[in-house]
Amino acid sequence: MRLFVAARLPQALMEALGETSALLRDTVRGRYVAPDSFHLTLAFLGDVSGTRVSDACAAVEEACEGQPPIRVTLGPLGSFGRRRRATLWQGFSQGVDEMAGLAGDVRESLADRGLSYDATAFAPHVTLMRAADLTAGLLPMPVVERGVLDTVTLFRSDLSGDRPRYEPLYDVTLRQPEGDGPEGFSFLV
Ligand code: ATP
Ligand code: MG
């Protein structure tokens, strides 16, 4: 089965991304990601035998241990690939280092279990559309919102239908480590 690990996005971010996507519809033609499917991919495993799913779950669990939730702010639009058939995404202006750290830990835990993934350098982004024709017109200003990422999920991707479907297989919640106050301050009694 086709697997990837992604952070889920809180409601406020999903709505902001949906608004950006709606603004784009006026000017950019292409294949839009369904607004209920937005996510931040941390590691893409691709085809994995069903017998290895529990190892992938364990890798996500281990990578998230001790990882606090991440404060993020949406940022500018960006693209990968050719201008006529680009992947168009919205990036982040806050939380980038933390997201990169988390992605690195997830990838390391996968590697420790002999699970392979696409090792392309992590660039935090949320894909809004694919096969986007960016040759015509100006892009709108994206809608920006803040939020906290606190759930990392192992997803199964099903590309057999008319649009991709992502099925959550396993969720891990990020938690603030206990006694981890500012500047190492913590209550002892
Ligand atoms: P489609 O491939 O039909 O456009 P999709 O890209 O949404 O659909 P998948 O290809 O299964 O579905 O990808 C699932 C997630 O993993 C998406 O966030 C996608 O951007 C990301 N992804 C896919 N391939 C790679 C890859 N080689 N490296 C990194 N991330 C990838
Ligand atoms: Mg794809």
Side-chain angles (χ1 to χ4, degrees):
M1 56 184 84
R2 191 176 172 92
L3 300 181
F4 65 101
V5 179
R8 298 204 194 224
L9 304 171
Q11 192 59 29
L13 262 59
M14 294 295 271
E15 285 171 14
L17 290 156
E19 286 173 36
T20 301
S21 175
L23 291 173
L24 285 165
R25 277 175 199 268
D26 295 334
T27 41
V28 187
R29 276 190 301 179
R31 195 152 55 83
Y32 281 83
V33 174
D36 61 355
S37 292
F38 297 136
H39 60 271
L40 168 71
T41 301
L42 299 169
F44 178 77
L45 290 84
D47 223 4
V48 173
S49 151
T51 61
R52 304 297 319 271
V53 170
S54 60
D55 290 330
C57 295
V60 177
E61 185 84 49
E62 180 192 74
C64 292
E65 206 171 303
Q67 287 267 5
I70 300 174
R71 285 177 190 281
V72 302
T73 306
L74 288 172
L77 297 175
S79 68
F80 298 135
R82 294 167 289 157
R83 284 188 71 75
R84 248 174 227 292
R85 284 186 69 79
T87 297
L88 183 61
W89 45 263
Q90 187 163 358
F92 294 86
S93 64
Q94 183 201 9
V96 170
D97 291 348
E98 291 83 353
M99 288 183 264
L102 177 59
D105 287 354
V106 167
R107 292 169 181 214
E108 201 178 309
S109 296
L110 291 169
D112 286 348
R113 288 170 173 77
L115 288 161
S116 55
Y117 51 86
D118 188 310
T120 306
F122 174 70
H125 68 276
V126 180
T127 299
L128 300 176
M129 56 186 305
R130 297 196 167 81
D133 182 352
L134 301 180
T135 55
L138 287 172
L139 294 179
M141 287 293 289
V143 178
V144 163
E145 184 60 82
R146 284 195 255 199
V148 174
L149 307 186
D150 69 358
T151 309
V152 177
T153 302
L154 177 68
F155 282 100
R156 174 184 190 180
S157 173
D158 176 4
L159 301 182
S160 64
D162 54 340
R163 71 172 183 95
R165 293 201 179 274
Y166 311 129
E167 178 196 355
L169 299 180
Y170 191 69
D171 276 333
V172 179
T173 304
L174 303 181
R175 295 181 202 287
Q176 199 72 43
E178 273 175 48
D180 189 17
E183 310 270 329
F185 173 95
S186 59
F187 293 105
L188 297 176
V189 287

